[in-house]
Amino acid sequence: MNDRYDAGDAGYGAGPYEVVGYDEYGRPVYQQVPAQQPPQAQQAAYDPYAQQQGYGYDSYATGQQQPAPAYDPYGSAAPYDPYATGTQDATGYDPYGQAASSGQQPRVTEQTAYIPQQAGPAEDTRTPRETEPVSGEPEYRTEQFAFVEEPDGDSEDVIDWLKFTENRTERREEARRRARSRIIALLVVLALFAAGGVGYLWYAGKLPGLSSSDGTDGTATPVTAQKRDVLVVHLHNTAKGGTSTALLVDNTTTKQGTTVLLPNSLALTGDDGSTTTLAKSVDDDGSSGTRDQLDTVLGTSIQGTWRLDTPYLQNLVELVGNIEVDTNTDVPDPDAKKKGTAPLVHKGQDQTLSGKMAVAYATYRAAGESQNAQLERFGQVMQGVLRKMSSDPSSATTTVQTLAQILDPPLTDKDLGAFLAKLADLAKSGDYKTALLPVQADGTLSAQTGDSVVKDILGGTAKSPDAGSAVRVSVQNATGVKDDMEKARVVLLNGGFTFLEGGSASGTQATSKVLYADAAHKADATEVAKTLGLPAGSVAKGSVSSGADVSVVLGSDYEPASS
């Protein structure tokens, strides 16, 4: 099959060109055909069905050309030597695979024919007309050619690496997303937990800056403006006599409970304007009178009075299921017949006390001890009872009703039960303490000693009676018994006198003396002697201690009252 077209149109020179093959890009390769061929060359024209000698011609020969090899339509060219010179047999192949006949060929002169060369994938400079197929010749389509790409092993490696990199990147991104999700979830949980904690503290009133103890302007509420519920309790020792007094305070603003212990020597102002002591007021004026006097001296507002006799205290401890107290001393059994009997209450931490043991500990005062030591034990017992009391108002009310005691108006069983339930809740949570009211020797309160309790805890102002309103009695102990001094002090304070301790004499004295320096205090000296149980003959005019109205020297004839 030979494709020819006018070479003048192709631009390669005069004469026609024919297609002799295709380059690696599928473009046709042309070969110039001589304008005139000798008869031998014409006779050697291609005949696919003929079996004769000398098909084709030598494209590289000059002068007389050698017949060229025949074209095999199946893509196989007949072998020939395009560079051969002289006579040479050219063997061609017919379409059916039979060899063409060979014979003596005319001798031609060796000549190299010009073949247009195209350098690789250079830009095609041919005109559109040159690329168009010649009329009458078959058109070749791109699907007739197979473009085979050589497999490149590196390309697969690159693809695999890209896939690996992409997968690894995706895994990293997924890990980051999961980590962010976990962090967000953790932050949400912590935020909810913190919000819950803040909400609880706010609800409980324990959040600094936001609790109910703060004012509307964000500052702390002054102690004098804080709301308090106050109840006074008097413990009456029905077996040995004497009383012990304490204030139960519930600060509803700061959520703090306190037991304030009041010494019996606290100076009060009686209804007639005279000066008296707390112990004497309880015995003489009763509940309502003592409550009013305390309000005057301390600047408080006491809502009620709870008289608690020792048998009721014993029953109360039994009802709450005994109490635990850190005892500070051994307490003997008051019912023991013999000395040397094992103590009823042992000194130590977390001592479990029954009702009887609690009463013995709360009222015990050893020889030579002040009344404050016994008062502090009473405060320990009261706090122990509150820790065991139910925090439920109805249950606490039932406990109070079970005591079957008669309460002083306006206090009722329900009011007392609800009040004790609130204090019990504070005692169990650790928001409860016990404080002793500091009282000077004359029973009065100073600004320095009273502010820490009167102002901070009670929110009041100390208003002790004037020092001149009570008879100041100085006592010196010459009996040789240390405890006599304390017993005399209690008796005098209960009698409404101001006690001044004069110390102990270097030796003993047989008779007691009550001396006054000013005749105006003779009657006061007579009253002091009567209060101490001394004979009227012990009263005499003489020198008195500095700052005192009456001086007393206790001798061996002094017989203190049993406590």
Side-chain angles (χ1 to χ4, degrees):
M1 179 177 58
N2 295 323
D3 296 332
R4 297 183 180 180
Y5 63 95
D6 190 359
D9 295 336
Y12 289 102
Y17 281 79
E18 64 178 358
V19 178
V20 297
Y22 297 87
D23 61 9
E24 57 183 343
Y25 299 98
R27 291 178 295 191
V29 178
Y30 304 95
Q31 177 175 294
Q32 186 177 9
V33 180
Q36 293 182 358
Q37 296 181 354
Q40 293 86 351
Q42 294 178 359
Q43 293 176 2
Y46 174 75
D47 183 2
Y49 302 99
Q51 307 224 353
Q52 54 185 336
Q53 186 178 12
Y55 291 94
Y57 62 92
D58 185 0
S59 59
Y60 297 95
T62 59
Q64 185 178 0
Q65 295 183 353
Q66 183 179 357
Y71 176 79
D72 185 356
Y74 296 96
S76 300
Y80 69 95
D81 185 359
Y83 302 98
T85 58
T87 303
Q88 181 179 352
D89 293 338
T91 305
Y93 291 84
D94 65 2
Y96 301 99
Q98 296 179 357
S101 59
S102 61
Q104 183 72 26
Q105 298 296 327
R107 183 178 183 88
V108 295
T109 304
E110 181 177 358
Q111 183 179 358
T112 302
Y114 170 75
I115 299 177
Q117 300 293 327
Q118 299 183 12
E123 182 179 359
D124 190 358
T125 59
R126 294 175 297 169
T127 62
R129 181 178 179 182
E130 294 174 354
T131 58
E132 294 179 358
V134 180
S135 178
E137 295 180 353
E139 180 182 356
Y140 296 96
R141 297 183 300 274
T142 57
E143 57 266 19
Q144 294 179 278
F145 304 96
F147 297 93
V148 180
E149 294 184 359
E150 295 183 0
D152 189 356
D154 293 339
S155 62
E156 295 184 359
D157 293 340
V158 172
I159 293 174
D160 293 341
W161 170 254
L162 292 176
K163 291 181 178 179
F164 170 75
T165 304
E166 182 179 2
N167 292 337
R168 185 172 62 177
T169 303
E170 291 179 353
R171 287 194 299 269
R172 288 179 178 176
E173 291 296 330
E174 182 63 24
R176 292 192 186 98
R177 285 193 294 271
R178 288 196 299 267
R180 284 194 296 268
S181 300
R182 293 191 187 100
I183 293 174
I184 293 173
L186 179 60
L187 292 177
V188 170
V189 172
L190 291 177
L192 293 176
F193 179 77
V198 171
Y200 170 76
L201 293 176
W202 174 82
Y203 176 78
K206 301 177 181 179
L207 186 64
L210 294 177
S211 64
S212 59
S213 63
D214 296 339
T216 56
D217 58 350
T219 59
T221 303
V223 292
T224 56
Q226 297 171 6
K227 186 179 183 303
R228 300 170 178 86
D229 295 329
V230 183
L231 186 69
V232 59
V233 54
H234 299 296
L235 177 65
H236 288 257
N237 189 344
T238 58
K240 296 183 178 181
T243 59
S244 302
T245 303
L247 296 177
L248 303 180
V249 183
D250 175 23
N251 191 322
T252 59
T253 303
T254 62
K255 306 298 182 182
Q256 177 70 46
T258 309
T259 297
V260 179
L261 304 175
L262 305 180
N264 282 335
S265 60
L266 176 65
L268 303 178
T269 301
D271 294 338
D272 58 356
S274 62
T275 301
T276 185
T277 62
L278 175 60
K280 187 173 180 59
S281 176
V282 174
D283 291 339
D284 296 345
D285 300 332
S287 300
S288 59
T290 302
R291 183 174 67 246
D292 293 340
Q293 293 171 13
L294 288 173
D295 283 342
T296 301
V297 171
L298 302 177
T300 58
S301 177
I302 301 173
Q303 285 80 35
T305 300
W306 181 20
R307 173 170 176 159
L308 184 62
D309 295 347
T310 49
Y312 291 114
L313 175 60
Q314 179 174 340
N315 293 339
L316 179 60
V317 173
E318 299 289 348
L319 287 174
V320 299
N322 299 334
I323 61 175
E324 284 73 36
V325 176
D326 294 337
T327 58
N328 55 24
T329 186
D330 291 337
V331 178
D333 188 351
D335 297 333
K337 302 295 183 179
K338 300 179 181 179
K339 292 184 179 181
T341 306
L344 178 64
V345 178
H346 293 274
K347 178 181 179 179
Q349 294 183 346
D350 295 331
Q351 295 294 312
T352 300
L353 305 182
S354 63
K356 180 181 178 180
M357 297 168 66
V359 171
Y361 185 76
T363 59
Y364 177 72
R365 187 177 68 182
E369 283 187 337
S370 66
Q371 194 259 338
N372 290 346
Q374 174 267 321
L375 192 61
E376 290 176 351
R377 296 187 184 104
F378 170 53
Q380 287 181 281
V381 172
M382 288 303 302
Q383 188 165 348
V385 170
L386 293 174
R387 282 197 298 263
K388 295 298 292 290
M389 179 76 68
S390 174
S391 300
D392 179 61
S394 60
S395 299
T397 300
T398 301
T399 301
V400 172
Q401 292 173 344
T402 306
L403 292 176
Q405 66 177 137
I406 299 175
L407 301 176
D408 295 335
L411 187 64
T412 64
D413 294 341
K414 185 176 181 181
D415 294 338
L416 180 58
F419 181 76
L420 294 178
K422 292 189 293 183
L423 293 181
D425 185 57
L426 296 175
K428 293 174 183 177
S429 62
D431 297 321
Y432 201 93
K433 62 182 180 180
T434 300
L436 176 65
L437 178 68
V439 176
Q440 298 183 100
D442 59 357
T444 60
L445 300 172
S446 65
Q448 293 78 13
T449 59
D451 281 352
S452 60
V453 175
V454 176
K455 181 179 179 181
D456 297 341
I457 298 178
L458 300 176
T461 303
K463 299 178 181 178
S464 293
D466 295 337
S469 61
V471 178
R472 292 166 292 177
V473 180
S474 174
V475 179
Q476 184 181 35
N477 186 11
T479 64
V481 180
K482 184 178 181 179
D483 192 36
D484 287 346
M485 173 70 79
E486 178 62 24
K487 292 180 179 180
R489 187 183 74 86
V490 172
V491 172
L492 290 173
L493 290 176
N494 290 339
F497 298 98
T498 299
F499 176 81
L500 300 176
E501 185 175 352
S504 298
S506 56
T508 61
Q509 184 174 319
T511 59
S512 301
K513 295 181 180 181
V514 179
L515 306 175
Y516 63 92
D518 189 351
H521 293 293
K522 181 179 181 179
D524 295 333
T526 303
E527 185 66 22
V528 169
K530 182 180 179 180
T531 301
L532 291 174
L534 299 176
S538 61
V539 177
K541 186 177 182 179
S543 62
V544 297
S545 301
S546 176
D549 299 322
V550 177
S551 291
V552 177
V553 178
L554 298 177
S556 300
D557 60 343
Y558 172 66
E559 295 180 358
S562 60
S563 56

